Amino acid sequence: YPEFKQELDKSWDAMHRMLTDGTLLYGDECQPLCNVILGGEVLYGSEWEEDDGILVLKTPDQVSEIAKLLPHQDKEECRHAYGSINEEDYGFPLSEEDFAYTWEWMQGSLEFWQRAASQKRYVLFTADQ
């Protein structure tokens, strides 16, 4: 089912930070947009142990909420949030190029979230570390 797969390349790290409080933490502290990446049920990986990957499950209700809210994220507000990311924690220099890359991947995921929500699908976020 390729229509239910969405690549984010390496943008997921900055995307999570941009949509939350600027940190890369698991959990539901920054509801509801934390659910786009690291919010949800952590099936594998943890911020307290070194693992080789991440698996986080989003419920159909979380997917529906993401599908409703993500398209309404304002580009300038996201640019400001991206600019507030701690560069040292992020591990990469913040730049307009990196923001544009992150924004493009996020915009490219919108159809995926709509499709998954319309069919009441669970979504599994995976990443290699």
Side-chain angles (χ1 to χ4, degrees), residues 16 19-20 27-40 58 61-70 73 113:
H16 181 79
L19 293 173
T20 62
D28 303 336
E29 296 300 315
C30 297
Q31 283 289 344
L33 292 174
C34 64
N35 291 330
V36 174
I37 305 294
L38 295 179
K58 290 87 174 60
D61 286 342
Q62 291 167 323
V63 171
S64 178
E65 194 167 29
I66 292 166
K68 287 178 195 165
L69 295 175
L70 197 57
Q73 296 307 297
W113 289 109

Side-chain angles (χ1 to χ4, degrees), residues 12-86:
W12 66 268
D13 186 320
M15 192 181 307
H16 181 79
R17 293 170 191 269
M18 180 178 75
L19 293 173
T20 62
D21 62 358
T23 61
L24 191 63
L25 299 175
Y26 291 93
D28 303 336
E29 296 300 315
C30 297
Q31 283 289 344
L33 292 174
C34 64
N35 291 330
V36 174
I37 305 294
L38 295 179
E41 183 181 350
V42 179
L43 302 177
Y44 184 81
S46 160
E47 60 204 302
W48 299 281
E49 58 188 63
E50 294 209 19
D51 288 320
D52 57 352
I54 299 169
L55 296 171
V56 184
L57 184 66
K58 290 87 174 60
T59 66
D61 286 342
Q62 291 167 323
V63 171
S64 178
E65 194 167 29
I66 292 166
K68 287 178 195 165
L69 295 175
L70 197 57
H72 300 290
Q73 296 307 297
D74 179 76
K75 186 174 185 176
E76 291 311 310
E77 288 177 17
C78 285
R79 180 179 276 116
H80 177 73
Y82 170 86
S84 299
I85 294 171
N86 181 306

